[in-house]
Amino acid sequence: MSEQPRATESHQIGSREPLIKGAPTTAEIPFIYPAHWEADVVLRDGATAHLRPVIPTDRNALQQMYAGQSERTIYLRFFAPKPQLSDKELTRFTTVDHKDRVAFVLMLGDEMIGIGRFDRTDDPTEAEVAFMISDRHQGRGIGSILLEHLAAAAKELGINKFAAEVLPQNRAMLNVFADTGYDVSRAFDDGLVMVRFDIDPTDRSRQVMESREHRAEAKSISELLNPASIAVVGSSSTWSDQAQPMIETIRQGGFQGKIWGVCLDGGAISDSTGESHNIVTSVNQTEGVELALITVPIEQVERVVESCGRAGIRGALILTRGYAEDGTRGQVRQKALVRTARSFGMRIIGPASFGILNNSPEINLDATVNQHDPQAGTLGVFTQSAVMGEMFSNMAVRRRIGVSSLVSAGNRADVSGNDLMQYWEDDPETSVCALYLESIGNPRKFSRIARRLSRNKPVIVAKNAVTGMQLPPGHTGRTSIAPATALESLFKQSGVISADSSEQVLDIAQLLVSMPLPSGRRLAVVSNATALAQMVADRANTQELEVKLADAALDLEHEDSAFVQQMLRTAAESSDVDALIVVFMHEDAQVCREIASLAQRVAEEITKPILAVFPGIIENAASMVGLVQDSTIEHPGLPCYASPMGAVDSLAAVMNYVEWREKEGGTYATPSGVSPDTAAHLIADFMSRVQGENLLPLAQEDVASLLDAYGIELLPSTTVDSPQEAVDRVEELGSYPVVLKSTDEALSKRLDLGGVRLGIENAEQLRAEFETMKKRLARYGKQEIELQKQAEAGQSAVMEAIEDPLLGPVISFGMSGDTTALLEDWAYRIPPLTKRDVEKLIRSPKAAAKLFGDDDLPEVRVDLLEDLATRVALMKDNHPEIASLQLSPVIVSETTLTVARAKITLGNPRQRTDSARRSLSA
């Protein structure tokens, strides 16, 4: 880090002075701190750290980190012993303009553990990049994290390439670059390896980033759920009601590790067995604790978390309430709590958590406030509020559904559903994942994790009616302005099984944890009542299931058990059946249990799902809802339901999931002939006219240029002031026929109001139509007229895109016409889009049937519509500055696609909730 560094040590790279000569000093540049670049990150070992832009007051922290470097590090870095950095060097490295010179530091509390920087060269699209990582913290993935964040900041500033100089023997640093997934070029010059690479995200670089993120976040949750030693922290005022019962619950659950009790002001307190050998008065008196369970009053929580951090404890489960219920003061406390925890590398579950459960036989951790918890099984459960955690736990107990792990995030100050999905992906104990979400902090990250997880394990999500639209008490974050169906579309394209309630979550879960997946959508129904069999068949038809058999001959009173079992087996084994639903009406639960036992024996023999419905039981009805187990059979149990609708809907949801998994290739749609860099340069020029939060509507020629960068051709048009000018301009547009229309957006769509004139075939007709149109528009005070070549006749559609505060880019598609808006017949998708996402987007609106031939009309070029959607999605995904985009109408014929009108507005982009950098939720 000298003025002209020429060498690097084994985990560092140097950078020469920027090549921009005569650049202003930092003192001459207004200091604007880019707070949106700050992020909490998870390191490779699961600990957290805080990344932020460097500030001048970091001088001491940088000097201290430098002082801890080895002699070899310093020698390789500066070619000579150098005990400390000079004042000039410290100023140079900690004072930047956040534009041409950017630097990030990674902090663990007050300790700097890494610094990375880039300096723009004389080529404004390229920068030289450099790092220095603390010797004490090597191997924690710090270099790759700094590089990701520097690249994201550089892209924001219009920089597309990074360059670096690395010593040939510095294999570790060369590997850091090679392992990024970027296309790295190397050249040997003057004893150094010159490294260059384009920092535009690639499929490979995204995979690398996501893989590193996954491993780090999964490890951080694994440490919380698999601790070797636990400390339950309380005070004398909460000990008997909270801390002591928790210790007893953990002990009775068979926890395999050591349990410490920490009573902050009552060292003589004993547990219920009269023992006090592990009861201490300070966290500092414990040894080897990995998870702290905190039950102290709210005024003491932050101090306890700080003590835990200083004692090296990596995770805390906070059961204390009062944050969400205390309005603004509670939110301030919660943010301070998270800052304190992350400054020590800690993760937090809660506050106001119901607790956690890990039924792995190697751990047996029951740290919940319940007396009865679910048995061991394969269902992973995540909930936000404590109430929902308790409800899910109790419902699973009643239904006899086994749980692998359960996490109640309470106020979700830190650990989220995204974190749990990262953990479940690698957890051999979990085969099905269920989440109840009251808010979604990072939907785009949720989408990509869920899509990856769903390819191997079903993910069921329940949300309330306003999830994403507003925040529950005590939660902070962004809300969506898009329709609720947009969030539902995000779930569907990610392979998530969406449920309307917690009951439906468990309806679906009990089927998934007990039965094999169906191979198709064909169904057999067997019942003892014709009306019931018909009810199931009718419901199945509405869910697009194909009923191959509906038999009402089930009779246990007049037929022996062997015959009934054979009847069920014959129905289930049929080659044209993928699943069987047994519906049996009887008021005696014991009789129903006999039918369940017979069905379970059949299920044990075949590889198709079998469900049972017992709607008529009078007494002990609850005993026949959930997983009903015949103890003489080695089988997880038969999924049983009280309602035929619940059974059919659950089976349909699973069949939809299987269909998604079979057809979802995960290949992102990539159009040809696009130039994102061209579009970025155009947008950068346009953005100079954007003021504050105002939106900038682009002129039509600018819209055409921007669309052209993505291979989207806008049908040319021109405004005309007279009949003769209209005639003269026809040749510029091509030839007849042409269209006249009002430049007013509303009138241009209203043929009935005289705002559009179609099919003009010659100059004489053009003059006449112009005069007529001018008179009609005069009554509306809108006399400006536009001339455009007429597109080939076909179906008319609308494609739109917005930048949503929560979801980021949202693409919508519908057919033109008032009914689309009135009936909300729109389809939505969240980029990036796979090929299947694009297909579903175009086919989802009900009116889209017109595209495939309707009322004797021919089928149009749907493939061209799909190509257009791919281009729009990529464009919106790449450029958050595009606040809104509308292509209307898009006219598709048997041979062509024409974009007749387009509108684009730009605005200062909000920081997206998910980008090409790893970050925890704020």
Side-chain angles (χ1 to χ4, degrees):
M1 299 180 67
S2 65
E3 287 301 299
Q4 295 287 338
R6 293 287 309 203
T8 62
E9 57 84 38
S10 59
H11 296 281
Q12 305 166 358
I13 56 176
S15 173
R16 295 172 177 170
E17 289 284 353
L19 300 179
I20 301 177
K21 301 302 181 183
T25 65
T26 304
E28 298 171 315
I29 300 173
F31 184 83
I32 301 174
Y33 181 76
H36 68 282
W37 285 342
E38 289 197 32
D40 289 321
V41 297
V42 182
L43 305 180
R44 182 180 296 163
D45 58 2
T48 62
H50 186 64
L51 182 145
R52 60 168 172 78
V54 73
I55 54 179
T57 53
D58 287 325
R59 293 166 59 94
N60 290 339
L62 175 58
Q63 187 71 280
Q64 289 174 11
M65 181 177 74
Y66 181 84
Q69 303 295 73
S70 68
E71 291 182 5
R72 180 177 182 274
T73 294
I74 295 172
Y75 179 80
L76 289 176
R77 185 63 178 80
F78 293 99
F79 293 102
K82 189 177 182 66
Q84 64 181 15
L85 296 172
S86 68
D87 285 344
K88 184 178 179 180
E89 288 169 331
L90 288 171
T91 299
R92 167 76 183 162
F93 300 139
T94 60
T95 308
V96 298
D97 61 11
H98 307 296
K99 181 181 178 182
D100 294 321
R101 301 180 59 242
V102 172
F104 290 146
V105 294
L106 203 59
M107 307 295 294
L108 194 57
D110 296 329
E111 180 188 2
M112 184 183 295
I113 62 176
I115 182 170
R117 62 184 298 109
F118 67 74
D119 295 79
R120 201 188 299 256
T121 68
D122 58 348
D123 178 353
T125 67
E126 182 176 284
E128 292 193 58
V129 64
F131 303 95
M132 185 167 74
I133 312 301
S134 168
D135 280 355
R136 294 181 55 243
H137 296 276
Q138 295 290 345
R140 304 184 75 181
I142 294 172
S144 62
I145 290 174
L146 285 169
L147 180 57
E148 285 174 17
H149 285 256
L150 286 170
K155 288 295 294 179
E156 188 177 322
L157 296 172
I159 295 170
N160 300 322
K161 298 180 181 65
F162 273 171
E165 298 175 341
V166 187
L167 282 173
Q169 61 266 40
N170 192 347
R171 303 304 307 172
M173 197 67 247
L174 289 170
N175 288 337
V176 167
F177 289 123
D179 293 342
T180 59
Y182 295 119
D183 186 11
V184 178
S185 67
R186 301 182 185 183
F188 194 74
D189 180 33
D190 195 20
L192 294 173
V193 178
M194 310 300 294
V195 177
R196 276 186 169 79
F197 53 96
D198 194 314
I199 58 175
D200 280 324
T202 64
D203 289 343
R204 174 61 181 153
S205 68
R206 288 190 183 98
Q207 290 172 4
V208 169
M209 185 274 288
E210 291 174 14
S211 177
R212 288 170 171 165
E213 174 189 67
H214 164 68
R215 290 194 300 269
E217 294 181 2
K219 182 172 179 57
S220 72
I221 299 303
S222 179
E223 290 182 343
L224 294 173
L225 292 179
N226 297 274
S229 180
I230 289 174
V232 180
V233 185
S235 64
S236 57
S237 62
T238 62
W239 189 264
S240 60
D241 294 333
Q242 298 178 33
Q244 183 171 304
M246 179 61 72
I247 292 174
E248 293 175 2
T249 297
I250 295 170
R251 179 179 292 142
Q252 292 170 5
F255 177 59
Q256 301 297 304
K258 187 173 184 178
I259 307 170
W260 293 84
V262 180
C263 185
L264 299 179
D265 49 9
I269 293 178
S270 301
D271 62 24
S272 59
T273 63
E275 300 174 351
S276 60
H277 55 279
N278 281 340
I279 309 297
V280 296
T281 59
S282 170
V283 172
N284 293 329
Q285 295 173 284
T286 65
E287 296 177 2
V289 171
E290 295 178 349
L291 176 66
L293 279 61
I294 299 174
T295 67
V296 300
I298 191 169
E299 295 80 10
Q300 298 176 285
V301 171
E302 187 175 353
R303 188 165 65 251
V304 171
V305 168
E306 182 177 355
S307 298
C308 291
R310 295 191 184 283
I313 298 174
R314 291 277 287 269
L317 168 64
I318 301 174
L319 291 93
T320 305
R321 301 173 183 270
Y323 291 87
E325 297 85 352
D326 203 14
T328 302
R329 182 171 66 170
Q331 292 180 10
V332 171
R333 277 176 165 169
Q334 188 162 298
K335 288 181 179 179
L337 179 66
V338 173
R339 282 197 303 269
T340 299
R342 289 180 177 172
S343 70
F344 291 101
M346 295 176 65
R347 299 300 307 266
I348 285 180
I349 298 176
S353 171
F354 160 75
I356 60 175
L357 180 71
N358 184 356
N359 278 325
S360 169
E362 298 177 358
I363 300 297
N364 286 331
L365 173 59
D366 180 358
T368 70
V369 298
N370 256 13
Q371 289 186 343
H372 304 285
D373 288 301
Q375 61 189 1
T378 61
L379 177 66
V381 178
F382 171 86
T383 71
Q384 286 185 210
S385 71
V387 171
M388 294 306 301
E390 185 174 7
M391 185 176 77
F392 263 92
S393 178
N394 292 341
M395 289 169 61
V397 170
R398 289 199 305 270
R399 290 177 179 240
R400 298 165 295 281
I401 300 175
V403 167
S404 59
S405 55
L406 183 151
V407 172
S408 162
N411 290 357
R412 206 206 66 199
D414 178 18
V415 169
S416 68
N418 289 346
D419 293 308
L420 265 295
M421 287 194 296
Q422 299 275 37
Y423 169 76
W424 287 329
E425 186 174 352
D426 299 330
D427 180 27
E429 308 289 340
T430 301
S431 64
V432 180
C433 311
L435 303 94
Y436 184 86
L437 303 176
E438 297 177 45
S439 63
I440 303 178
N442 193 333
R444 280 163 64 80
K445 182 175 178 178
F446 171 91
S447 176
R448 62 181 168 82
I449 296 174
R451 188 191 290 268
R452 189 178 67 234
L453 177 59
S454 293
R455 293 188 186 117
N456 299 301
K457 300 179 182 183
V459 178
I460 316 166
V461 174
K463 57 183 181 61
N464 58 36
V466 296
T467 298
M469 303 296 113
Q470 64 186 48
L471 295 171
H475 291 262
T476 60
R478 305 175 182 184
T479 56
S480 175
I481 59 174
T485 47
L487 182 60
E488 186 67 25
S489 295
L490 181 142
F491 286 166
K492 287 181 179 179
Q493 73 184 78
S494 305
V496 167
I497 303 173
S498 186
D500 295 329
S501 65
S502 54
E503 287 282 353
Q504 191 178 21
V505 169
L506 293 180
D507 277 350
I508 298 168
Q510 67 185 32
L511 171 58
L512 286 168
V513 300
S514 63
M515 291 289 159
L517 294 173
S519 56
R521 305 182 70 86
R522 302 168 300 177
L523 176 64
V525 183
V526 177
S527 179
N528 65 339
T530 301
L532 280 177
Q534 188 60 48
M535 180 186 296
V536 172
D538 291 344
R539 184 68 172 188
N541 287 330
T542 64
Q543 294 282 12
E544 299 182 354
L545 308 187
E546 186 179 1
V547 180
K548 290 293 187 178
L549 172 68
D551 193 339
L554 185 61
D555 186 356
L556 193 61
E557 295 182 5
H558 300 94
E559 303 289 352
D560 61 26
S561 298
F563 179 84
V564 172
Q565 183 173 334
Q566 183 58 43
M567 177 185 177
L568 297 177
R569 180 184 295 108
T570 300
E573 287 182 337
S574 175
S575 60
D576 63 350
V577 167
D578 300 307
L580 170 65
I581 293 182
V582 180
V583 189
F584 190 73
M585 174 65 77
H586 203 286
E587 65 179 29
D588 190 339
Q590 185 56 42
V591 175
C592 293
R593 187 172 291 277
E594 292 181 37
I595 291 291
S597 177
L598 297 175
Q600 192 175 346
R601 292 178 184 278
V602 175
E604 186 183 24
E605 301 169 0
I606 67 173
T607 56
K608 298 178 183 179
I610 299 178
L611 301 74
V613 185
F614 302 107
I617 299 174
I618 301 298
E619 297 181 1
N620 299 319
S623 67
M624 295 303 293
V625 174
L627 292 181
V628 176
Q629 175 71 53
D630 184 333
S631 59
T632 66
I633 303 174
E634 289 292 329
H635 190 272
L638 185 74
C640 296
Y641 302 81
S643 159
M645 308 306 179
V648 174
D649 291 352
S650 298
L651 181 60
V654 173
M655 287 178 168
N656 292 340
Y657 163 70
V658 171
E659 183 177 345
W660 174 89
R661 196 163 79 165
E662 290 176 348
K663 294 182 178 180
E664 172 57 41
T667 303
Y668 288 109
T670 53
S672 60
V674 298
S675 179
D677 286 345
T678 299
H681 289 306
L682 288 170
I683 290 173
D685 290 339
F686 301 148
M687 288 297 292
S688 63
R689 291 180 271 152
V690 176
Q691 300 295 323
E693 295 297 314
N694 295 324
L695 298 180
L696 173 70
L698 294 184
Q700 278 299 291
E701 58 269 24
D702 293 335
V703 170
S705 298
L706 196 50
L707 292 176
D708 184 65
Y710 278 85
I712 302 171
E713 183 178 356
L714 181 61
L715 189 65
S717 66
T718 182
T719 56
V720 289
D721 296 328
S722 67
Q724 187 57 46
E725 185 182 5
V727 172
D728 294 341
R729 291 290 186 91
V730 169
E731 189 174 344
E732 296 178 12
L733 300 177
S735 62
Y736 292 100
V738 295
V739 176
L740 287 175
K741 55 187 176 181
S742 169
T743 57
D744 181 77
E745 183 177 356
L747 287 172
S748 68
K749 302 174 184 177
R750 298 299 298 269
L751 185 66
D752 57 328
L753 298 180
V756 188
R757 281 285 187 262
L758 303 173
I760 301 172
E761 298 286 354
N762 53 56
E764 183 180 355
Q765 185 184 358
L766 178 56
R767 290 188 180 96
E769 292 286 9
F770 185 93
E771 295 290 359
T772 302
M773 190 173 187
K774 199 78 170 177
K775 292 175 183 178
R776 289 202 175 188
L777 293 178
R779 73 184 71 173
Y780 307 111
K782 305 281 188 180
Q783 295 199 33
E784 191 174 49
I785 296 177
E786 183 179 10
L787 177 70
Q788 190 173 48
K789 180 170 175 55
Q790 182 164 311
E792 184 176 331
Q795 296 292 344
S796 182
V798 180
M799 195 168 295
E800 298 181 347
I802 65 168
E803 182 72 16
D804 184 75
L806 178 67
L807 302 175
V810 179
I811 310 299
S812 56
F813 173 76
M815 302 302 293
S816 297
D818 292 340
T819 53
T820 294
L822 292 173
L823 301 179
E824 297 186 357
D825 189 22
W826 294 94
Y828 300 92
R829 287 297 182 275
I830 314 298
L833 303 185
T834 65
K835 294 178 180 179
R836 176 167 168 77
D837 290 336
V838 174
E839 291 174 0
K840 298 292 284 185
L841 172 69
I842 301 302
R843 288 160 177 76
S844 292
K846 293 181 175 61
K850 294 189 294 184
L851 299 171
F852 300 92
D854 184 60
D855 294 332
D856 297 325
L857 294 175
E859 182 174 347
V860 301
R861 289 290 301 276
V862 176
D863 61 316
L864 295 180
L865 260 181
E866 293 173 345
D867 179 71
L868 178 65
T870 300
R871 295 174 187 277
V872 170
L874 181 63
M875 183 179 188
K876 187 67 205 75
D877 199 23
N878 285 342
H879 308 292
E881 299 91 347
I882 298 176
S884 67
L885 178 153
Q886 183 187 70
L887 307 181
S888 174
V890 177
I891 303 168
V892 197
S893 73
E894 296 175 73
T895 58
T896 63
L897 178 145
T898 304
V899 179
R901 182 184 286 272
K903 186 169 67 172
I904 294 177
T905 60
L906 302 183
N908 284 315
R910 298 172 181 266
Q911 185 67 25
R912 284 187 180 167
T913 55
D914 188 40
S915 62
R917 62 184 193 129
R918 283 175 278 173
S919 177
L920 291 172
S921 58

